[in-house]
């Protein structure tokens, strides 16, 4: 499982295999599922860059990472990533023993969480095939789940392969309010959001390229004179994050 998760193609396969409309419908109902969908960690219309939505600039940069990203719509309110053909094409099998089992902690008495994770399990397994990927929902009490996700005391106590218990809302009008929460050099951040310690020197962090992401973030953070250049650099960081399929 770890070897598969450290492979970007495998993570992209999971990204393209998730039906976000069905996932959203478990909380928002089918009628209101689409308006609640977001395709990127940073809200795509959060700031403008020379008259363009931030997400459009991200999409332009993302398209340079590979054909799988060409024509992808990152706007809110529609599922721009769910694509069965892309999911199957990106499924990386080299050197990995299949099926890959992915552990997902679930608060067993929280109906909305249970149904969302059941939806995730259903669409990922149907798209990729249970002979390739099995999503194992680990039903636990709330305290048990929070102690290994949101309230994890240390990265060593994190115990999940994929989880939906941690999120973020912005508190100031700059893309850094989103992206800095994933700063790889901050162990307080990485233990909660990414499940590892040791900063960019962590072998797994290096394996997925988080040292590169850290450089992109630092470059954007250091641009304090030209707001357009600053947002362009944050768009480059968000494009890397989307292509990496880490969040």
């Amino acid at each position: 499982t770890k070897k598969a998760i450290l492979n970007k193609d495998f993570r992209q396969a999971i990204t393209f295999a998730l039906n976000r409309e069905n996932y959203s419908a478990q909380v928002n109902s089918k009628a209101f599922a689409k308006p609640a969908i977001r395709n990127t960690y940073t809200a795509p219309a959060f700031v403008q860059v020379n008259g363009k939505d931030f997400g459009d600039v991200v999409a332009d940069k993302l398209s340079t990472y590979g054909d799988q990203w060409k024509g992808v719509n990152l706007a809110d309110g529609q599922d721009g990533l769910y694509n069965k053909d892309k999911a199957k094409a990106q499924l990386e099998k080299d050197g990995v023993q299949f099926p890959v089992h992915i552990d997902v902690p679930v608060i067993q008495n929280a109906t909305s969480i249970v149904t969302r994770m059941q939806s995730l399990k259903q669409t990922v397994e149907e798209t990729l095939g249970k002979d390739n990927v099995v999503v194992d929902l680990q039903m636990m009490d709330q305290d048990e789940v929070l102690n290994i996700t949101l309230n994890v005391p240390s990265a060593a106590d994190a115990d999940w392969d994929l989880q939906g218990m941690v999120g973020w809302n912005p508190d100031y009008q700059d893309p850094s309010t989103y992206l800095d929460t994933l700063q790889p050099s901050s162990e307080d951040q990485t233990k909660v959001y990414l499940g590892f310690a040791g900063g960019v020197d962590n072998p797994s962090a290096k394996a997925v390229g988080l040292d590169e992401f850290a450089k992109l973030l630092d470059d954007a953070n250091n641009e304090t004179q030209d707001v357009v250049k600053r947002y362009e650099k944050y768009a480059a960081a968000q494009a890397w994050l989307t292509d990496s399929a880490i969040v």
Side-chain angles (χ1 to χ4, degrees), residues 3-241:
K3 188 171 184 178
I5 289 175
L6 292 180
N7 184 291
K8 183 172 71 172
D9 290 337
F10 180 84
R11 297 194 306 274
Q12 286 184 2
I14 300 297
T15 293
F16 291 128
L18 173 60
N19 186 323
R20 288 160 184 77
E21 185 174 351
N22 285 353
Y23 182 88
S24 174
Q26 307 310 311
V27 175
N28 303 298
S29 80
K30 189 172 183 178
F32 300 101
K34 280 188 177 180
I37 296 174
R38 174 157 294 160
N39 298 285
T40 54
Y41 190 62
T42 308
F46 189 57
V47 295
Q48 298 287 302
V49 187
N50 273 342
K52 296 178 67 173
D53 278 350
F54 181 79
D56 291 334
V57 180
V58 173
D60 290 342
K61 295 180 183 298
L62 186 60
S63 67
T64 67
Y65 279 92
D67 289 343
Q68 71 271 31
W69 299 114
K70 295 188 187 305
V72 166
N73 184 355
L74 299 178
D76 284 346
Q78 52 82 46
D79 192 344
L81 297 176
Y82 176 53
N83 187 300
K84 292 183 178 181
D85 291 336
K86 289 182 181 180
K88 293 173 183 176
Q90 294 304 113
L91 188 62
E92 177 58 60
K93 294 189 176 183
D94 291 344
V96 175
Q97 182 178 346
F98 282 79
V100 173
H101 284 259
I102 298 177
D103 285 336
V104 180
V106 181
I107 299 175
Q108 59 191 4
N109 61 347
T111 303
S112 63
I113 294 173
V114 172
T115 56
R116 272 182 292 171
M117 292 309 168
Q118 287 174 335
S119 174
L120 180 150
K121 173 181 173 67
Q122 179 183 3
T123 59
V124 168
E125 291 181 351
E126 283 183 356
T127 300
L128 298 176
K130 293 180 71 173
D131 54 336
N132 291 315
V133 177
V134 176
V135 178
D136 292 322
L137 303 183
Q138 305 296 337
M139 300 296 182
M140 305 177 186
D141 293 335
Q142 177 172 298
D143 287 346
E144 291 179 287
V145 171
L146 294 180
N147 285 340
I148 60 173
T149 56
L150 182 63
N151 299 331
V152 62
S154 71
D157 297 299
D159 189 13
W160 50 269
D161 297 321
L162 187 154
Q163 54 105 348
M165 298 305 304
V166 178
W168 178 254
N169 286 317
D171 48 20
Y172 54 90
Q173 198 71 20
D174 187 272
S176 62
T177 188
Y178 285 101
L179 295 170
D180 278 354
T181 63
L182 301 175
Q183 174 56 259
S185 62
S186 171
E187 292 200 18
D188 283 343
Q189 306 284 44
T190 60
K191 76 175 183 180
V192 173
Y193 286 92
L194 300 173
F196 75 88
V200 294
D201 292 327
N202 180 288
S204 294
K206 284 192 171 183
V208 300
L210 281 168
D211 50 344
E212 179 183 349
F213 180 62
K215 291 176 183 177
L216 290 169
L217 274 187
D218 288 342
D219 187 36
N221 284 332
N222 290 333
E223 178 54 71
T224 59
Q225 301 301 314
D226 188 324
V227 70
V228 172
K229 287 183 179 178
R230 179 179 175 87
Y231 291 171
E232 285 270 2
K233 290 179 177 182
Y234 278 122
Q238 175 61 69
W240 183 95
L241 192 64

